[in-house]
């Protein structure tokens, strides 16, 4: 189903180029810790090459095309993504650990639909903003996270291209494979060289892209801490900036709610994609009169969640994206125990290899936090 290369280079100016420093890093299958491939690690020199390629493509090719012509390329990309949907879904699950039913039924179809949608908008921008001047920005530097790799790529690249901009995109280091497969799709679609460039690497690669003087727009999705760093780096420049950061979203259940439906909503809100969601419902406020009933139903529902191999179509919770993320989750579980909260985890056998975590419910957290505060 998936043909992986032993090694992936950088996609710059329509070509696959080895990184100047000849440096690579491994990408790991989080479900069994097996090695998938080696990925190029871009330095400042590589980033500069990618930005120059994007600038050249913007000034000499892409900005000169009509919206209808740009839309044709986006339609081609969308169709090719659709044709390769099964391969992309398996690749997303192998690299990221999410259940195949989520990759297959949600991530990939939505990514394809996003390109179809913006292909249709490419020649209608003037009508959408009647009476206002419409102009592209230039080169967009984009940085995507590991929780929805291809879908986030689509959210960023599709509108940028539809509006006449060119792109340098840096995917998350733990989930670069679908972005690199997307680069192959761009080649197959005949997208002009330099319109989309994919540079892989760690935080230093993203930082080099953020501070590059010839980038007109930075779009970042990721942690709040990194978002603040990017915001500081862009202060005093002419760069446009879009930040989509993490949060601590709350579910609120009142006594007149349909309890069974509410419980199902809570389960989906926090355990979908292993909880790797910016707006995951990680906090739960329940009216006191129904608290015991809701907690009992939640515990019962947790017992039916299947945690295991993400390529199994029956799996509800797959592998945590990386060892680092699993360690962070385990740290917070330990912290909750130390602060005196009541913890519930269903009895379930986790795979012997890979990065897995039991679905976890903490209760009495307000009381435990109050006790901890009194001790301080």
């Amino acid at each position: 189903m998936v043909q992986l290369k032993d090694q992936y280079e950088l996609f710059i100016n329509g070509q696959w180029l080895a990184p100047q420093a000849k440096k690579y890093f491994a990408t790991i299958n989080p479900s069994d810790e097996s090695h998938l491939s080696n990925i190029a690690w871009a330095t400042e020199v590589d980033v500069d090459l990618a930005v120059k390629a994007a600038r050249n493509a913007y000034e000499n090719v892409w900005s000169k095309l009509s919206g209808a012509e740009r839309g044709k390329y986006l339609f081609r990309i969308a169709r090719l993504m659709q044709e390769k949907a099964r391969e992309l879904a398996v690749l997303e699950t192998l690299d990221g650990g999410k259940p195949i039913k989520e990759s297959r039924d949600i991530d990939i179809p939505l990514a394809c639909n996003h390109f179809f949608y913006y292909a249709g908008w490419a020649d209608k921008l003037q009508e959408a903003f009647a009476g206002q001047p419409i102009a592209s920005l230039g080169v967009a530097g984009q940085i995507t996270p590991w929780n929805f790799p291809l879908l986030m790529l689509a959210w960023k690249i599709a509108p940028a291209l539809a509006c006449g901009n060119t792109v340098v995109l840096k995917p998350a280091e733990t989930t670069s494979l679908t972005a690199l497969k997307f680069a192959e799709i761009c080649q197959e679609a005949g997208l002009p060289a330099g319109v989309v460039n994919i540079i892989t690497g760690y935080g230093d690669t993203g930082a080099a892209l953020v501070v590059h003087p010839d980038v007109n727009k930075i779009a970042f999705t990721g942690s709040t801490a990194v978002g603040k760093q990017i915001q500081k780096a862009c202060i005093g420049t002419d760069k446009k900036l879009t930040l989509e950061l993490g949060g601590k979203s709350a579910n609120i259940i009142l006594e007149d709610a349909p309890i069974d439906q509410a419980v199902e909503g809570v389960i989906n809100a926090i355990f979908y994609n292993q909880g790797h969601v910016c707006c995951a419902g990680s906090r739960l406020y329940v009216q006191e009169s129904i608290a015991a009933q809701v907690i009992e139903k939640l515990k019962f529902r947790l017992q039916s969640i299947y945690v295991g191999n993400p390529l199994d179509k029956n799996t509800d919770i797959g592998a945590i994206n990386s060892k680092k993320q699993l360690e962070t989750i385990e740290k917070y579980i330990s912290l909750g125990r130390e602060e005196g909260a009541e913890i519930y985890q269903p009895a379930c056998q986790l795979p012997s290899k890979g990065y897995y975590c039991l679905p976890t419910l903490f209760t009495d957290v307000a009381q435990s936090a109050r006790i901890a505060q009194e001790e301080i």
Side-chain angles (χ1 to χ4, degrees):
M1 178 66 66
V2 175
Q3 299 297 319
L4 285 174
K5 298 177 182 177
D6 293 333
Q7 183 169 290
Y8 285 89
E9 312 295 350
L10 306 170
F11 185 67
I12 298 175
N13 203 32
Q15 300 177 329
W16 296 99
L17 303 179
Q20 296 289 314
K22 308 298 180 188
K23 199 173 179 182
Y24 296 83
F25 61 93
T27 188
I28 305 298
N29 181 345
S31 69
D32 60 10
E33 302 173 57
S34 62
H35 179 272
L36 293 174
S37 185
N38 291 319
I39 310 292
W41 191 334
T43 63
E44 290 182 12
V45 177
D46 302 305
V47 172
D48 186 57
L49 281 175
V51 173
K52 286 178 177 175
R55 175 62 61 189
N56 180 64
Y58 173 74
E59 293 182 350
N60 297 309
V61 181
W62 200 243
S63 64
K64 298 182 182 299
L65 293 181
S66 66
E69 288 299 312
R70 294 196 302 270
K72 288 178 183 178
Y73 284 107
L74 291 173
F75 273 123
R76 270 184 228 159
I77 289 171
R79 180 62 68 192
L80 286 167
M81 289 175 66
Q82 234 177 18
E83 291 174 1
K84 302 175 190 296
R86 292 184 69 190
E87 180 182 7
L88 289 168
V90 172
L91 191 57
E92 201 79 313
T93 289
L94 282 175
D95 205 23
K98 65 175 61 195
I100 186 64
K101 63 184 179 184
E102 294 178 8
S103 299
R104 179 196 63 200
D105 300 340
I106 300 172
D107 289 39
I108 306 307
L110 285 179
C112 297
N113 288 344
H114 213 67
F115 275 94
F116 275 119
Y117 178 81
Y118 279 99
W121 268 113
D123 63 347
K124 301 175 183 67
L125 297 174
Q126 197 64 52
E127 286 71 25
F129 302 96
Q132 300 180 44
I134 303 297
S136 53
L137 291 173
V139 176
Q142 304 177 335
I143 303 172
T144 53
W146 41 261
N147 54 350
F148 295 94
L150 191 65
L151 184 54
M152 289 290 182
L153 175 150
W155 284 11
K156 286 180 168 44
I157 290 183
L161 297 191
C163 292
N165 305 286
T166 55
V167 166
V168 179
L169 180 130
K170 187 234 151 297
E173 60 272 12
T174 57
T175 52
S176 300
L177 290 179
T178 45
L180 295 166
K181 180 62 68 174
F182 177 80
E184 294 177 4
I185 290 172
C186 289
Q187 283 183 309
E188 193 173 342
L191 191 70
V195 173
V196 168
N197 305 271
I198 308 290
I199 52 168
T200 46
Y202 279 76
D204 56 333
T205 305
L209 180 60
V210 167
V211 301
H212 196 289
D214 202 26
V215 171
N216 303 105
K217 165 72 184 272
I218 294 293
F220 170 79
T221 300
S223 72
T224 302
V226 175
K228 289 180 178 179
Q229 294 174 13
I230 292 174
Q231 184 182 42
K232 289 179 181 178
C234 291
I235 291 174
T237 72
D238 294 329
K239 287 186 177 74
K240 302 289 185 180
L241 180 61
T242 301
L243 300 173
E244 183 190 8
L245 311 177
K248 292 289 289 181
S249 301
N251 299 280
I252 302 174
I253 305 179
L254 303 179
E255 62 183 4
D256 61 345
I259 303 301
D260 290 336
Q261 290 174 264
V263 166
E264 199 61 30
V266 169
I267 295 295
N268 289 331
I270 187 57
F271 296 119
Y272 171 71
N273 197 38
Q274 293 73 252
H276 297 333
V277 183
C278 296
C279 55
S282 53
R283 294 182 294 157
L284 179 58
Y285 294 96
V286 184
Q287 193 164 350
E288 191 171 7
S289 59
I290 57 169
Q293 181 185 6
V294 170
I295 291 170
E296 192 61 32
K297 285 181 176 288
L298 277 171
K299 290 178 179 180
F300 179 78
R301 181 63 177 84
L302 288 182
Q303 295 171 17
S304 65
I305 292 178
Y306 180 67
V307 184
N309 181 1
L311 284 173
D312 184 340
K313 290 182 286 186
N314 296 309
T315 293
D316 298 307
I317 297 180
I320 303 302
N321 177 257
S322 66
K323 184 178 180 180
K324 178 182 177 183
Q325 291 301 325
L326 179 59
E327 289 172 348
T328 299
I329 294 169
E330 289 174 340
K331 179 189 75 174
Y332 282 114
I333 290 175
S334 297
L335 185 62
R337 282 195 175 102
E338 291 170 9
E339 292 182 352
E342 183 179 329
I343 183 174
Y344 175 80
Q345 292 177 317
C348 133
Q349 186 69 39
L350 296 179
S352 58
K353 292 195 70 175
Y355 311 130
Y356 294 93
C357 182
L358 290 171
T360 303
L361 173 67
F362 280 109
T363 54
D364 292 331
V365 291
Q367 179 179 344
S368 65
R370 188 162 55 247
I371 293 171
Q373 185 64 37
E374 289 172 358
E375 290 175 350
I376 292 171

